[in-house]
Amino acid sequence: MSSSVLYDLPGPRARMRNRLLGIVTLVVVAALIGFVVWRFADTGQFSATKWNVFTYTAIWARFGEATLATLAAFAAAAVGALVLGFVLAIGRMSDHAWVRVPVGWIVELLRAVPVLVFMLLLYYGMPVIGIRLSPYWAVVIALIAYNGSVLSEVIRAGVESLPRGQSEAGYAIGLRKAGVMRLILLPQAIRAMLPVIIAQLVVTLKDTALGFIITYPELLYFARQLGSNGEYGSPLIPAAMVASVIYVAMCLALSYAAHRVELGLRRSPKAGRVAGAEAPGQTGTDTELIVAQRGSGKNDPGSTA
């Protein structure tokens, strides 16, 4: 029976305590959800008057247009953030101080500015100097700047977490730093940090909702417009519920797509050759494996001393 050095299996008392804490947590969460649902019902948020507006096909068509606007901003921001993240990460890992230091300042600056402040500066501040941006580009550029800086640190952390032997092996076979980075380090870092990268892209998708403040017609903007319409009974809570369901569906779809990509990378034979620090099915440490291989080599009639 193998045991982990970092984690001791809980005893009977600890297991009982964990079960009690889990039960109490579930009860508290269920009570909070029940209270919210009761307040919604008590204030008439589930009445037919509030939900009658969703029987019109034109409303659902507008929801579809708002969802496409959200996806359009997210798609451009996601691609731009990934590209910017790779560029900044490579710059921060440069051997030249005149590249590494300024890039580090840029990353820290972009990470320090909140996304909403960035959007407001781009949309309301740039016209002061004669540059006018549409709400779409203000949203996209702000998302690229912030999420690109965050992804650059994620990628850099993934590269620097790899064993030094990975890069040294690349230099030993004659690769330059660009080749080592492109062929050896980055593929492994991306594979290791893929869950974090996807989590940041989900944050990017949700941050598109901040665009409603600068009148970008995305999903939250339309839900707020619909919810404040007195002609339909001001169905703010129902519109927010519908918008939330659409957001959750988009985030789950993105997470599922990322999961499929991760499975594909793990099953790829190239991935096994590049990042196989420990062979599939290997048990024990690398030292034990080397000793076992040497022992089998001595017993092999075809081996040479």
Side-chain angles (χ1 to χ4, degrees):
M1 179 179 179
S2 61
S3 62
S4 174
V5 177
L6 300 177
Y7 178 73
D8 293 331
L9 294 176
R13 295 181 61 183
R15 288 199 297 270
M16 179 62 66
R17 184 170 60 250
N18 293 338
R19 290 193 186 100
L20 289 176
L21 289 175
I23 293 172
V24 171
T25 302
L26 288 176
V27 170
V28 171
V29 172
L32 289 175
I33 294 175
F35 175 75
V36 172
V37 172
W38 172 74
R39 287 300 301 164
F40 283 168
D42 188 54
T43 56
Q45 299 301 324
F46 297 131
S47 63
T49 304
K50 295 286 187 181
W51 290 87
N52 183 58
V53 64
F54 297 102
T55 60
Y56 299 109
T57 56
I59 295 297
W60 289 108
R62 292 288 303 278
F63 264 113
E65 293 172 1
T67 302
L68 290 178
T70 296
L71 292 175
F74 164 70
V79 173
L82 288 172
V83 172
L84 180 62
F86 277 108
V87 172
L88 293 178
I90 293 172
R92 290 214 62 179
M93 292 182 290
S94 174
D95 295 332
H96 305 287
W98 61 272
V99 175
R100 184 176 62 254
V101 174
V103 171
W105 292 343
I106 293 172
V107 170
E108 294 302 326
L109 176 63
L110 295 179
R111 289 173 61 196
V113 179
V115 180
L116 180 56
V117 173
F118 217 143
M119 290 182 187
L120 293 174
L121 287 174
L122 290 172
Y123 188 68
Y124 295 111
M126 295 300 283
V128 176
I129 60 175
I131 301 176
R132 294 187 176 274
L133 294 176
S134 66
Y136 172 80
W137 285 112
V139 170
V140 169
I141 294 174
L143 292 176
I144 288 175
Y146 176 76
N147 292 284
S149 63
V150 175
L151 288 175
S152 71
E153 291 297 279
V154 171
I155 296 169
R156 183 173 70 91
V159 171
E160 293 182 350
S161 68
L162 297 174
R164 288 187 59 185
Q166 299 286 333
S167 57
E168 291 174 354
Y171 292 131
I173 62 176
L175 291 176
R176 296 181 179 272
K177 184 174 182 178
V180 170
M181 188 69 67
R182 179 173 57 88
L183 299 175
I184 299 176
L185 299 182
L186 282 179
Q188 297 182 70
I190 294 171
R191 196 157 42 249
M193 295 296 173
L194 189 60
V196 184
I197 293 173
I198 297 306
Q200 190 60 39
L201 291 181
V202 171
V203 172
T204 305
L205 174 59
K206 293 188 292 185
D207 282 348
T208 57
L210 297 173
F212 89 93
I213 296 179
I214 58 173
T215 68
Y216 179 61
E218 45 77 50
L219 188 56
L220 182 59
Y221 179 82
F222 174 68
R224 185 169 176 268
Q225 261 191 338
L226 180 63
S228 60
N229 195 325
E231 182 181 353
Y232 299 113
S234 300
L236 181 59
I237 298 299
M241 288 181 179
V242 173
S244 299
V245 170
I246 297 175
Y247 274 119
V248 170
M250 290 190 294
C251 291
L252 289 178
L254 178 60
S255 299
Y256 177 75
H259 176 67
R260 299 300 302 177
V261 170
E262 186 177 3
L263 289 179
L265 288 175
R266 287 181 180 178
R267 294 171 181 171
S268 173
K270 293 183 180 180
R273 291 198 296 269
V274 173
E278 182 176 1
Q282 173 184 335
T283 57
T285 63
D286 291 338
T287 305
E288 293 172 348
L289 180 61
I290 294 172
V291 172
Q293 289 174 342
R294 288 179 177 175
S296 63
K298 290 180 181 179
N299 297 329
D300 187 0
S303 62
T304 59

